[in-house]
Amino acid sequence: GDIHTPPTAKNNSKDAEAVFDKYTPLLPVKNSTAAAKIRVRANSSNKALSTTAILEALQNDTEHMVQFKEFVKYEQHITDFAWTMHRLQYNVVMMDGT
């Protein structure tokens, strides 16, 4: 949108779809006689490409995992800290009774 249009979930979703479409490869359609191609994305119904399956495959490559863990270690520290803060705040709210 332009600067006069406030962002909305619908606009954000459309923008996100455009980014995914840009980087999602076109793959041939199975059992098609035409040269039809579709964009395929992993989702929860695609068990062959689940996050768990991908992570398991990556963990088998120990050299890659050493580099990967080094790359994300600060992000992991920030995420862990954020979860700790969230749990502390939640506990305070729950003890307050409001």
Side-chain angles (χ1 to χ4, degrees), residues 42-57:
N43 60 41
S44 61
S45 66
N46 188 345
K47 300 301 181 201
L49 292 176
S50 69
T51 302
T52 302
I54 292 168
L55 185 57
E56 286 174 357

Side-chain angles (χ1 to χ4, degrees), residues 63-94:
E63 184 178 328
H64 166 79
M65 285 307 292
V66 168
Q67 293 173 356
F68 176 75
K69 287 179 180 179
E70 179 66 23
F71 184 76
V72 299
K73 74 180 179 183
Y74 296 110
E75 184 175 346
Q76 186 64 54
H77 289 308
I78 292 167
T79 302
D80 292 345
F81 180 76
W83 272 111
T84 300
M85 290 301 297
H86 170 74
R87 284 190 297 271
L88 290 169
Q89 290 170 342
Y90 178 81
N91 290 339
V92 168
V93 169
M94 294 308 290

Side-chain angles (χ1 to χ4, degrees), residues 2-77:
D2 59 42
I3 61 170
H4 303 290
T5 306
T8 64
K10 185 175 183 178
N11 291 345
N12 291 340
S13 177
K14 190 187 315 180
D15 292 343
E17 287 290 324
V19 170
F20 279 105
D21 286 344
K22 180 177 179 181
Y23 293 103
T24 303
L26 284 169
L27 301 174
V29 176
K30 290 181 181 180
N31 304 322
S32 174
T33 56
K37 294 184 180 251
I38 58 170
R39 295 192 187 279
V40 177
R41 296 186 196 141
N43 60 41
S44 61
S45 66
N46 188 345
K47 300 301 181 201
L49 292 176
S50 69
T51 302
T52 302
I54 292 168
L55 185 57
E56 286 174 357
L58 290 173
Q59 287 174 337
N60 288 333
D61 184 347
T62 55
E63 184 178 328
H64 166 79
M65 285 307 292
V66 168
Q67 293 173 356
F68 176 75
K69 287 179 180 179
E70 179 66 23
F71 184 76
V72 299
K73 74 180 179 183
Y74 296 110
E75 184 175 346
Q76 186 64 54
H77 289 308

